[in-house]
Amino acid sequence: MASTKDWFETVEEAQHRAKKRLPRSVYLALVAGTEKGLTANDNVAAFDELAWRPHVADLAAKRETATTVMGQEMSMPVLISPTGVQAVHPDGEVAVARAAAAEDVAMGLSSFASKPVEEVGAAHSKLFFQMYWVGSRETILARAERARAAGAKGLIMTLDWSFASRRDWGSPPIPEKIDVKNALKFAPEVLRKPRWLATYLRTGAIPELSVPNLALDGQEPPNFFGAYGEWMGTALPRWEDVAWLREQWGGPFMLKGVTRVDDARRAVDAGVSAISVSTHGGNNLDSTPGAIRSLPGIVDAVGDQVEVVMDGGVRRGADVVKAMALGAKAVMIGRAYLWGMAAGGERGVQNVLSILRSGIDEALLGLGKSSVHDLTREDVIVPPGFTRD
């Protein structure tokens, strides 16, 4: 299907449309990484170093892409990664949830999301709720229970966001709230993007900078900086905290942000169900290798004990298949679906998922595989020095 005004054929094209449509500050917030952006760039570039070993005959006429992650059956091995404060479209995470439901993939919802977990849970049943270690144990558990009541089937604990005051590479200033002063400040770049502005004007909404999922018992939701301040004021988590929360939750539990084998083993000891090999999209400690480089060592160490997924740099269905060939159970996507939402709202997110689905099928065909579960490391050529253990 050729690209049209309402449809695009690649994630790269979705990014291009997002850049054209979004105000400069909003777009830069989507692509920023920490410091020089070395990790953010390597997340993407590392996939290009992996080459295929395709077959040419006896290829499978039909290919199976379905899998299960943390107890949730999905039509393909792609999950929506939790991302905070989505100002690219007024429907935010609810639009993402509807698209994920339509394509039958699970969704991670950030505790820093712009939409309440109750609204998102009503739009999609295959929901995982993501949390940082923010506040007291009692507060953290209360937020988890709120998510459970809203339908969350699993918990994602993110520990790979440790930088305190360093500005992200390329990141714009973020206002505390959209008041008259800030409206005037950002007006020049917003007025240059009338289609984005019109999308909000039609709903009567303004970009939401509050964090509703951190509020409990009718509290006023904090804004992003209030939530960030609470996180900064919380004592850093220890492995016993991870084990405590996992035990209290009692259901599927993913630890997100692992890049080291020793941390992976400690996560297994803490009782987690799954690990996400992730660099927080290049928004943690810059010069950390791209996530796909750390994946094989972690799979070798703990892949027979927990589900291992990978998050970072996925732009094509072929990237999904490469990650699975190196042992991932599935991948998580972040920027890709945000670009899709910027380009076309809910339909744009579904468009991105459709692109990935087609790419997965095409790669399986070329490799002669009838299922994503048949992939092995023999299907890719890993150059010397690629992995980082």
Side-chain angles (χ1 to χ4, degrees), residues 23-160:
R24 181 175 182 273
S25 293
V26 178
Y27 175 74
L28 289 178
L30 297 186
V31 297
T34 306
E35 295 186 330
K36 292 181 69 175
L38 298 174
T39 299
N41 291 332
D42 195 43
N43 272 336
V44 178
F47 278 101
D48 293 340
E49 297 179 24
L50 297 169
W52 295 124
R53 302 184 67 216
H55 288 288
V56 295
D58 294 332
L59 304 182
K62 294 183 179 179
R63 280 77 57 190
E64 177 58 59
T65 61
T67 193
T68 301
V69 176
M70 293 218 297
Q72 297 303 303
E73 295 180 357
M74 305 187 302
S75 65
M76 63 176 169
V78 176
L79 295 85
I80 297 294
S81 190
T83 60
V85 190
Q86 296 178 4
V88 301
H89 191 279
D91 292 339
E93 295 84 359
V94 175
V96 177
R98 290 171 180 157
E103 293 295 322
D104 193 21
V105 299
M107 174 181 178
L109 176 70
S110 173
S111 57
F112 276 45
S114 63
K115 300 295 183 183
V117 62
E118 291 81 7
E119 290 185 22
V120 180
H124 191 17
S125 62
K126 296 180 180 181
L127 184 68
F128 304 137
F129 186 68
Q130 177 272 344
M131 302 182 70
Y132 298 102
W133 191 257
V134 176
S136 66
R137 279 190 171 191
E138 292 74 17
T139 300
I140 290 168
L141 184 57
R143 289 169 180 153
E145 292 302 334
R146 175 187 169 186
R148 193 200 304 271
K153 303 300 191 299
L155 207 60
I156 300 174
M157 191 71 192
T158 299
L159 297 186
D160 66 335

Side-chain angles (χ1 to χ4, degrees), residues 14 77 116 170 223 228 318 341:
N223 62 23
Y228 186 83
M341 182 161 59

